[in-house]
Amino acid sequence: MFLFPFSYTNCRSYLPAAAAITPFVGLVAYVAQSTLKSNAIKAPSLKLFAATVASSLALGYLTRLALSYLQAQPRELEQQPPQKETVSIGLDRMACELFKCTTDSGKFPDKVFDVEVQTSSGITDVHTTGPELKYQEDSTVVVQTRDYTILGVFDGHSASPESDIKTPPASNSLNLLKMK
Amino acid sequence: MREKLVLLAQRLVSEEIAPENFQGEIIAIFEQAQAACVRQFPRNAQPSLTDQPPTARAGTTATLFLRIKNNCWIINLGDSRTIVYDRDNKWLAASEDHGFDKDTIVAMRKQGYLVDESAVPLGGSVYGGLHWDDGGEDTFGVSHAFGHSSIVLPTSIELPNGHVGLLCVPDVQGPFAMADVLHVVVCCDGVTDSFPDSSKFLPTVLEGPQAWVKAAYEQASSKGDNISLIHWDLTKRELS
């Protein structure tokens, strides 16, 4: 019955209107109730039914509007991460064969190749590590919210940038050079 | 670093940081990361290359794609690259690999750095990170991302905590309009060697994860390197 597009933007625009008509809904309900009471004997059951239906619809509309607004709040994906899906693409063994690598037991290592797909945001995050490259595990930063996105890849080769960042350096005393 | 980047993004969203100050903020984060790297390698604790990670040629590099609402920035340091696919169906390298050319050497010498030019592979073969010069004094060098392994720093240049090193600041480009971006690919480490020509790898991105991951992996592994990538398909994004 209510063909509103309940998008986030529209909900925001409808809210002031909803707030504006709420007193009128109450007024209409009050008038209808008073009328029915004063003409209780004469009031046809159809009027009572119509008033009940109208009140229910109005209440339902407002409830749905409020609910839609709440659901349309910006989602902080840091708190509600998108559905993650590990995709097996059959490269683990191939990677090992390419690197001709096995563990001491002669078996292929469990993880040489990781693929992580964050399906709801279209982000695919991939790391590769070969045994002879076991010191070169990189780290990534993926943060996705409505307002901002951070896609960062940091080479972890013998240096983990996020592992120990507590004391800011006295950078103004350093000789900075922009290599380009 | 993740927390710092998130905080920076939030401050940008709330407009606590003026656009003209953004570059300084991001550089400060990289500087702190570099300082953390330096602290991991005490100056007098040169590791044995036989039983330790190959720290003599170790390094670090980073690339970062940052979207704030409808704009984006590209931040790159060292041997990494950010690439975008635009509405004109073109792949564009949004960042520039940090090479090591003669101009750089000249500039560094002017600043007092000692550069072994014969050992510098000009025009490529760059790698990032930290380096001990085991041929002389107990000096501490920093390779490409924060220097280059062929660079020996004069001990007069002191880092905090008594370390010696070289800092580089990242390139910061932007803002660019997000409306024109359909795909983003950030590649880290070894891209100058592994992906001098991205034309073979990039078209596979449009074929889906299985195709491009395989292509990227094979291309990187052919150079004996690992690789990390993030691909963002904006045509699939639900958040607007």
Side-chain angles (χ1 to χ4, degrees):
Chain A
M1 180 173 287
F2 297 98
L3 300 177
F4 287 99
F6 281 100
S7 67
Y8 172 75
T9 305
N10 284 333
C11 277
R12 275 192 162 173
S13 62
Y14 291 149
L15 269 180
I21 66 173
T22 299
F24 293 102
V25 173
L27 181 61
V28 170
Y30 175 77
V31 171
Q33 187 184 29
S34 301
T35 304
L36 290 173
K37 276 184 178 177
S38 62
N39 302 288
I41 298 176
K42 298 178 182 178
S45 58
L46 184 60
K47 281 188 176 180
L48 180 61
F49 175 73
T52 304
V53 170
S55 300
S56 299
L57 288 176
L59 187 60
Y61 167 73
L62 291 175
T63 304
R64 186 176 175 186
L65 198 61
L67 186 63
S68 299
Y69 173 75
L70 291 175
Q71 290 176 339
Q73 289 296 302
R75 288 180 299 166
E76 291 289 332
L77 296 187
E78 297 159 81
Q79 298 171 355
Q80 298 179 356
Q83 179 185 1
K84 293 183 178 179
E85 173 185 345
T86 300
V87 179
S88 173
I89 58 175
L91 278 179
D92 283 10
R93 189 177 183 87
M94 186 194 78
C96 295
E97 290 171 348
L98 283 173
F99 280 117
K100 300 186 186 309
C101 58
T102 58
T103 61
D104 293 337
S105 64
K107 296 180 180 179
F108 290 111
D110 294 328
K111 273 195 172 182
V112 175
F113 199 96
D114 296 327
V115 179
E116 187 176 78
V117 179
Q118 297 184 319
T119 53
S120 66
S121 55
I123 294 175
T124 305
D125 185 359
V126 179
H127 315 261
T128 69
T129 302
E132 71 271 45
L133 302 170
K134 59 187 175 183
Y135 305 113
Q136 296 186 340
E137 294 188 34
D138 299 340
S139 59
T140 60
V141 175
V142 177
V143 180
Q144 172 84 308
T145 72
R146 180 176 297 279
D147 289 329
Y148 62 87
T149 304
I150 301 172
L151 304 179
V153 189
F154 302 87
D155 174 30
H157 192 164
S158 304
S160 300
E162 63 272 68
S163 63
D164 179 22
I165 307 174
K166 296 177 182 176
T167 307
S171 57
N172 55 0
S173 66
L174 302 176
N175 194 357
L176 300 180
L177 176 67
K178 182 176 182 179
M179 299 179 67
K180 194 170 181 181
Chain B
M1 178 171 259
R2 180 183 188 278
E3 288 71 21
K4 291 181 181 297
L5 290 172
V6 168
L7 181 61
L8 173 63
Q10 291 172 342
R11 292 172 65 199
L12 284 165
V13 169
S14 62
E15 298 180 350
E16 288 181 35
I17 301 176
E20 58 268 26
N21 296 328
F22 167 70
Q23 184 163 336
E25 295 280 346
I26 196 73
I27 288 174
I29 290 177
F30 273 75
E31 288 176 357
Q32 292 170 29
Q34 195 271 352
C37 296
V38 169
R39 283 196 296 274
Q40 289 190 347
F41 298 92
R43 188 177 174 188
N44 297 317
Q46 182 172 342
S48 164
L49 298 184
T50 57
D51 56 3
Q52 295 289 328
T55 47
R57 302 181 75 81
T60 187
T61 174
T63 192
L64 177 66
F65 177 88
L66 182 61
R67 174 189 69 87
I68 304 296
K69 294 184 178 177
N70 295 320
N71 292 319
C72 62
W73 282 264
I74 312 293
I75 299 100
N76 193 67
L77 177 58
D79 193 4
S80 296
R81 191 182 303 161
T82 293
I83 306 159
V84 299
Y85 184 77
D86 66 8
R87 292 192 180 278
D88 294 330
N89 300 324
K90 291 180 180 177
W91 289 102
L92 305 171
S95 66
E96 181 180 356
D97 302 357
H98 284 160
F100 197 77
D101 54 22
K102 291 183 178 178
D103 291 339
T104 302
I105 295 173
V106 171
M108 293 182 69
R109 282 179 170 162
K110 286 182 179 177
Q111 296 191 40
Y113 296 101
L114 310 177
V115 182
D116 180 3
E117 190 170 354
S118 63
V120 175
L122 295 175
S125 188
V126 291
Y127 43 88
L130 311 168
H131 170 62
W132 275 268
D133 172 48
D134 55 2
E137 298 179 3
D138 183 26
T139 48
F140 180 71
V142 188
S143 65
H144 184 74
F146 304 109
H148 192 280
S149 67
S150 298
I151 301 166
V152 178
L153 301 176
T155 53
S156 58
I157 300 177
E158 292 287 338
L159 279 175
N161 304 323
H163 299 305
V164 179
L166 167 68
L167 281 182
C168 286
V169 296
D171 290 338
V172 180
Q173 302 180 76
F176 303 109
M178 284 296 298
D180 297 329
V181 179
L182 295 182
H183 294 268
V184 178
V185 177
V186 294
C187 315
C188 182
D189 191 18
V191 296
T192 303
D193 278 347
S194 301
F195 301 96
D197 180 7
S198 302
S199 60
K200 294 180 181 178
F201 152 64
L202 291 173
T204 61
V205 171
L206 305 181
E207 299 174 14
Q210 297 193 11
W212 71 261
V213 164
K214 184 174 184 293
Y217 177 78
E218 289 178 341
Q219 193 157 346
S221 61
S222 67
K223 297 291 183 180
D225 207 347
N226 68 323
I227 188 167
S228 291
L229 304 114
I230 300 174
H231 168 226
W232 186 17
D233 183 352
L234 280 82
T235 63
K236 292 182 180 177
R237 66 175 174 172
E238 293 181 352
L239 300 176
S240 59

